[in-house]
């Protein structure tokens, strides 16, 4: 007899966050983040997206990072507060200024919504990054589904993967 | 970074396609067992097989927007994507798109697009919208 589906209750990094525990309005924290040349190289390699501006020089005086490199800091900040594995569902991004290497960006992130749709639970969070002059570099809004398995299944399984990851590109 | 879409961008213009055949190795991170690399890790989460990292899949659209709009993507670009269904780690995916509007603004022209990604069976696995700023003399 096939086993019944269950949502993951805990993984190697501890107990998974539940929908009830997620607090709308909660500030997930802030962090300083410096993109390095190595991180840009890795991002280009991962996406197989190469351009002179990403690899050599740009009108801003040096190379710039692919805008999508901004994915990680907000995700790290979510995981520092809530152990959510799940799946990425929506990604909104606004590229206001190019992301330059070796410039400290200050990233602030907070939960802005949570909802249930099609028997699955979602968390929505937003982040904004500013440069040392205080100018906004990017804004982003993310929606993450907490589990692939529907919420009618018990939260009883043990996971291998985790929402908590090493904080690297 | 040269923008492919320049003078005379019009509603209905198609964006260049960007395609990729994924392989499991594309998603490996050191020796971590994740839902992107390990069958058992994926099954514990209720999925039949490892799934592609969504940001790598979405990267096809960002690549497409870079090719299409150049600076207008990096500076002033917006994008909103919905990942409708998991992509398997061995799927073929192609980003497609079309210009849906253009709006004259004080500092240039904002070009709006529908963007999406289809897999090898033609299913739209990602759908969304994007917009980029272009200098007025480029439009």
């Amino acid at each position: 007899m096939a086993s019944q589906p269950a949502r993951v209750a805990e993984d190697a990094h501890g107990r998974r966050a539940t929908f009830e525990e997620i607090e709308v309005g909660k500030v997930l924290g802030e962090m300083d983040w410096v993109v390095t040349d190595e991180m840009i190289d890795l991002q280009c390699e991962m996406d197989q997206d190469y351009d002179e501006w990403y690899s050599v020089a740009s009108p801003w005086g040096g190379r710039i990072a692919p805008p999508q490199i901004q994915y990680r800091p907000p995700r790290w900040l979510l995981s520092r507060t809530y152990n959510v594995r799940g799946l990425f569902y929506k990604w909104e991004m606004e590229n206001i200024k190019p992301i330059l290497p070796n410039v400290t960006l200050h990233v602030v992130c907070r939960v802005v919504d949570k909802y249930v749709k099609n028997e699955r639970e979602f968390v929505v969070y937003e982040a904004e990054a500013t440069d040392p002059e205080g100018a906004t570099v990017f804004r982003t809004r993310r929606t993450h589904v907490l589990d692939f398995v529907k919420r009618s299944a018990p939260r009883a399984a043990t996971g291998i993967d985790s929402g908590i990851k090493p904080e690297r590109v | 970074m040269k923008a492919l879409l320049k003078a005379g961008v019009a509603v209905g213009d198609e964006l260049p396609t960007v395609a990729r055949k994924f392989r499991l190795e594309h998603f490996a991170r050191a020796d971590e067992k994740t839902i992107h690399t390990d069958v058992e890790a994926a099954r514990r989460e209720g999925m039949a097989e490892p799934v592609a990292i969504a940001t790598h899949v979405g990267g096809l659209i960002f690549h497409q927007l870079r090719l299409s709009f150049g600076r207008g993507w990096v500076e002033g670009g917006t994008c909103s994507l919905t990942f409708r269904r998991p992509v398997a780690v061995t799927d073929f995916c192609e980003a497609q798109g079309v210009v849906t509007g253009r709006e004259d603004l004080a500092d240039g022209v904002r070009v709006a697009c529908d963007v999406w990604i289809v897999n090898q069976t033609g299913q739209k696995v990602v759908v969304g919208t994007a917009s980029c700023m272009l200098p007025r003399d480029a439009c």
Side-chain angles (χ1 to χ4, degrees):
Chain A
M1 189 168 67
S3 60
Q4 296 299 308
R7 294 180 295 163
V8 170
E10 63 178 334
D11 57 44
H13 291 282
R15 197 172 64 80
R16 292 281 175 90
T18 66
F19 184 71
E20 292 73 22
E21 290 168 343
I22 290 172
E23 182 185 338
V24 175
K26 185 177 183 65
V27 175
L28 294 168
E30 46 194 281
M31 65 184 292
D32 287 334
W33 185 51
V34 180
V35 170
T36 65
D37 288 312
E38 291 74 21
M39 291 157 71
I40 296 175
D41 289 340
L42 186 55
Q43 187 69 49
C44 291
E45 186 179 329
M46 286 191 302
D47 291 332
Q48 292 292 294
D49 183 5
Y50 297 97
D51 185 84
E52 179 187 9
W53 286 12
Y54 296 158
S55 299
V56 184
S58 73
W60 293 274
R63 61 197 306 211
I64 61 172
Q68 62 267 31
I69 204 168
Q70 53 107 310
Y71 170 72
R72 289 169 187 78
R75 184 65 175 91
W76 294 334
L77 288 170
L78 174 67
S79 289
R80 286 182 187 181
T81 303
Y82 298 118
N83 182 7
V84 171
R85 173 47 278 184
L87 292 171
F88 198 11
Y89 178 53
K90 285 180 181 284
W91 188 359
E92 297 170 55
M93 59 196 289
E94 184 179 359
N95 307 324
I96 298 164
K97 294 179 68 177
I99 298 173
L100 309 177
N102 307 311
V103 172
T104 302
L105 298 181
H106 189 69
V107 183
V108 180
C109 188
R110 68 190 179 102
V111 177
V112 295
D113 196 10
K114 66 176 182 178
Y115 61 90
V116 174
K117 178 183 169 187
N118 295 333
E119 279 301 299
R120 291 188 171 91
E121 299 166 337
F122 297 83
V123 56
V124 186
Y125 57 105
E126 289 181 348
E128 180 171 306
T130 51
D131 66 16
E133 286 72 47
T136 302
V137 175
F138 68 78
R139 296 191 189 95
T140 183
R141 180 183 175 99
R142 318 276 177 79
T143 304
H144 225 86
V145 60
L146 267 56
D147 302 279
F148 182 72
V149 176
K150 291 186 176 181
R151 71 196 300 250
S152 53
R155 189 172 287 287
T158 301
I160 295 174
D161 198 0
S162 179
I164 300 169
K165 305 279 191 192
E167 293 187 352
R168 61 172 190 248
V169 170
Chain B
M1 187 177 286
K2 295 179 177 61
L4 293 178
L5 298 186
K6 290 184 177 175
V9 173
V11 172
D13 283 353
E14 293 184 359
L15 306 189
T17 60
V18 175
R20 188 171 182 188
K21 173 73 168 68
F22 289 109
R23 297 198 314 266
L24 186 138
E25 307 89 86
H26 293 151
F27 309 105
R29 288 173 61 102
D31 58 353
E32 289 177 59
K33 289 185 176 179
T34 74
I35 62 170
H36 311 297
T37 58
D38 186 77
V39 172
E40 182 58 25
R43 286 182 178 159
R44 297 276 184 100
E45 306 287 340
M47 293 171 282
E49 58 185 341
V51 296
I53 296 175
T55 55
H56 287 31
V57 179
L60 296 174
I61 286 175
F62 307 141
H63 189 164
Q64 174 188 54
L65 294 171
R66 172 183 72 72
L67 289 172
S68 301
F69 300 103
R71 185 171 189 152
W73 164 238
V74 170
E75 198 175 44
T78 69
C79 190
S80 176
L81 302 179
T82 299
F83 300 90
R84 299 174 70 191
R85 63 187 75 238
V87 170
V89 291
T90 54
D91 276 358
F92 170 85
C93 285
E94 182 176 85
Q96 302 175 358
V98 63
V99 174
T100 57
R102 38 176 296 166
E103 181 183 8
D104 289 308
L105 301 171
D107 52 348
V109 177
R110 181 162 290 280
V111 178
C113 307
D114 282 346
V115 291
W116 62 91
I117 293 174
V118 295
N119 66 11
Q120 66 277 1
T121 67
Q123 281 185 311
K124 283 187 176 178
V125 293
V126 180
V127 297
T129 57
S131 75
C132 295
M133 286 296 293
L134 291 178
R136 191 175 309 282
D137 59 6
C139 297

